[in-house]
Amino acid sequence: MHIFARLTRRSVTATALGTLLCGALLGTPLAAPASASSAAAAAANPTITVPPAGSRGFPFLAAAEDLGSFGYTESEYFFSGTATSYAKSNLWASDGRWNVRASGTAAYKSRMLVRRPADPAKFNGTVVVEWLNVSGQIELSPDYWFQREELLRQGYAWVGVSAQSVGVNGGLGDIKGLKGWDPARYGTLVHPGDAFAYDIFSQAGQALRSPNGPDPLGGLPVRTVLADGESQSAGFMTTYANAVQPVSKVYDGFMVHSNSAVAAPISGELADTLLMPNPSRIRTDLPVPTFVVLTETDVPGAAIARQPDTSSVVHWELAGTAHGDQWAYDLGQPTVVKSAGSAAPSADCAGGSAPFNDGPGHWAMNAALRHLASWARGGARPPSGQPLSTVLRDPATGLATGGVRLPDVTVPTRTLTGLRDTTDSGVFCGLYGARDPWNGDSDPWDRHNDGDPSDPNFPLTAEPDLSRLYPTHTDYVNKVRTAAQNSVTAGYLLPEDATAIVTAAQDSDIGG
């Protein structure tokens, strides 16, 4: 296979997006190691209360789908107390070994959204605590949507935490935070600023371990508590793992999904992003594991922070994936619209441009979550992944080279990329990557220019002919089956997801 380099406007856009999401709109200005499983947490234990019904009768980000059909319940709780802010207490370098000191305290009251098995016998003992993302100026739960199949089928509890000021108090969007969305329900919430977000997140985890008030988990026996953040929240997760976890000792493991090269500032002030180490790597001396997962969209802005895998840090870079994708959009959009209506964030992609990436990001995240949960309980370290190149691409298919490669890219039927031309599009469009079906260059975006995912620049290359790649349907299915089994053996794909992939291939009309 001949490889050639492509450095286009799409690559530049991806790098700019990574920089934007690293510290974008961190919130409003400030108001004034032993195993975490067994160690006594240093975080304070907040008071838990049940919120009023409010004027809408449901919490913000309440699931649009029927969780009961999966054997799950959804509920919301407030938690309150006194939060601590932190400041640097030594010179912070790229190795992530960052010391902090307490720099202030402030009263707070925030909320957590809880989804858990209704039957205690179905609970697997692991709670995933997601730092809700506020890049779109409202709270979103991207990793719940990426990992939703694994969460619900395996009996995890999931908790979304309102850690940041924008989510509670509002920012630049039409919805002025939870307090503006439903004052009758959320009017008593208090967020003193993002300098306190780290300790608020610590206290949320502590509340799940030792509830002071109504138990958000309904008495479920908790063995493992994992922290999770995607995109901007992953920047906070990096700083939390490096600087706060050694102090709080609350979490048993970290999922850092789609972070950039620079972590979020400990001060919570956007301008202080410039004072953070560049690159900001994960410290390697934590007694709990950290799993870093990057998509194609993220790699241009995060590659400088690459580091060797160790006994406590593993990285995957996923070929054919995007920061946001069709899977997460389709799962999440009904829930977002249920709460936000017309104020829901929009990708705002230009008309006639390629559709969203619909690649294997969710399959990889399912596997990563199961690996992390086992690893945090003392199981084997997950397999390492190869570095991904978004510049060196296969000229015949337009697919990136290297990285973790699942059947969508090893037995391809379309171009999948985390990069896209964002001309005449909104800023969030670039996060969704692109897909380009191989249909003889018959799509309106198949113009052999920067907007053509399979062939963005000279020399002109026709899309692959599926009938030549896969002379018969049986040939295609057999290749998918082999690729899926190889991915399972390598540890990058779960067996039940491999079955779903093979079934989809059997049900397709590809081949011949």
Side-chain angles (χ1 to χ4, degrees), residues 89-114:
S89 67
N90 69 332
L91 179 65
W92 285 17
S94 288
D95 64 4
R97 300 188 182 200
W98 301 341
N99 294 332
V100 293
R101 57 178 175 80
S103 62
T105 59
Y108 80 92
K109 186 177 184 180
S110 191
R111 67 106 184 207
M112 60 176 70
L113 185 64
V114 180

Side-chain angles (χ1 to χ4, degrees), residues 128 143 147 226-230 234 237 253-257 289-293 365 367-370 372:
V128 176
D143 262 4
Q147 302 166 353
L226 303 177
D228 189 321
E230 197 265 357
M237 201 58 49
F254 293 90
M255 182 71 75
V256 180
H257 182 198
T290 301
F291 206 144
V292 179
V293 181
M365 288 304 298
L369 175 56
R370 192 176 297 183
L372 180 60

Side-chain angles (χ1 to χ4, degrees), residues 33-386:
S35 171
S37 299
S38 58
N45 199 359
T47 300
I48 303 171
T49 55
V50 177
S55 60
R56 298 178 184 264
F58 61 89
F60 191 86
L61 217 57
E65 66 181 340
D66 178 15
L67 289 174
S69 66
F70 298 93
Y72 269 68
T73 66
E74 180 179 71
S75 54
E76 184 182 51
Y77 295 86
F78 290 169
F79 63 105
S80 60
T82 300
T84 298
S85 59
Y86 300 102
K88 298 177 182 179
S89 67
N90 69 332
L91 179 65
W92 285 17
S94 288
D95 64 4
R97 300 188 182 200
W98 301 341
N99 294 332
V100 293
R101 57 178 175 80
S103 62
T105 59
Y108 80 92
K109 186 177 184 180
S110 191
R111 67 106 184 207
M112 60 176 70
L113 185 64
V114 180
R115 297 171 187 155
R116 59 178 175 85
D119 180 357
K122 299 293 179 63
F123 178 52
N124 71 0
T126 297
V127 186
V128 176
V129 185
E130 182 169 356
W131 183 304
L132 294 176
N133 180 284
V134 296
S135 295
Q137 301 299 289
I138 61 171
E139 293 185 329
L140 301 174
S141 56
D143 262 4
Y144 174 83
W145 298 319
F146 273 112
Q147 302 166 353
R148 174 258 202 185
E149 281 192 330
E150 175 69 1
L151 288 166
L152 300 188
R153 71 189 174 194
Q154 289 294 313
Y156 293 82
W158 174 88
V159 178
V161 174
S162 297
Q164 286 185 251
S165 175
V166 166
V168 174
N169 299 326
L172 301 178
D174 294 335
I175 295 176
K176 300 306 178 184
L178 297 173
K179 298 174 73 170
W181 183 74
D182 190 343
R185 187 183 188 98
Y186 296 119
T188 63
L189 296 186
V190 176
H191 198 299
D194 281 353
F196 299 92
Y198 298 99
D199 194 40
I200 289 172
F201 191 71
S202 293
Q203 293 190 34
Q206 179 65 3
L208 298 170
R209 292 187 181 277
S210 303
N212 178 18
D215 185 352
L217 298 175
L220 295 178
V222 176
R223 288 194 300 160
T224 309
V225 183
L226 303 177
D228 189 321
E230 197 265 357
S231 189
Q232 183 192 155
S233 300
F236 281 91
M237 201 58 49
T238 300
T239 301
Y240 187 98
N242 285 345
V244 181
Q245 173 66 14
V247 175
S248 72
K249 300 181 175 66
V250 169
Y251 292 99
D252 298 318
F254 293 90
M255 182 71 75
V256 180
H257 182 198
S258 290
N259 60 326
S260 72
V262 181
I266 194 70
S267 68
E269 294 280 11
L270 175 60
D272 288 347
T273 305
L274 298 174
L275 304 178
M276 293 296 291
N278 185 3
S280 300
R281 299 189 174 95
I282 303 295
R283 67 188 302 159
T284 58
D285 61 342
L286 284 179
V288 300
T290 301
F291 206 144
V292 179
V293 181
L294 300 178
T295 71
E296 272 193 41
T297 316
D298 313 316
V299 167
I304 192 176
R306 283 175 176 146
Q307 62 188 99
D309 286 354
T310 70
S311 61
S312 64
V313 181
V314 165
H315 297 74
W316 283 1
E317 298 178 4
L318 310 178
T321 62
H323 188 94
D325 66 10
Q326 194 72 58
W327 174 272
Y329 179 87
D330 289 345
L331 271 180
Q333 191 67 3
T335 290
V336 177
V337 170
K338 175 179 178 178
S339 289
S342 61
S346 172
D348 195 23
C349 294
S353 62
F356 294 165
N357 179 299
D358 66 351
H362 59 292
W363 303 129
M365 288 304 298
N366 287 343
L369 175 56
R370 192 176 297 183
H371 276 306
L372 180 60
S374 173
W375 192 15
R377 293 192 299 269
R381 196 203 77 172
S384 297
Q386 294 299 312

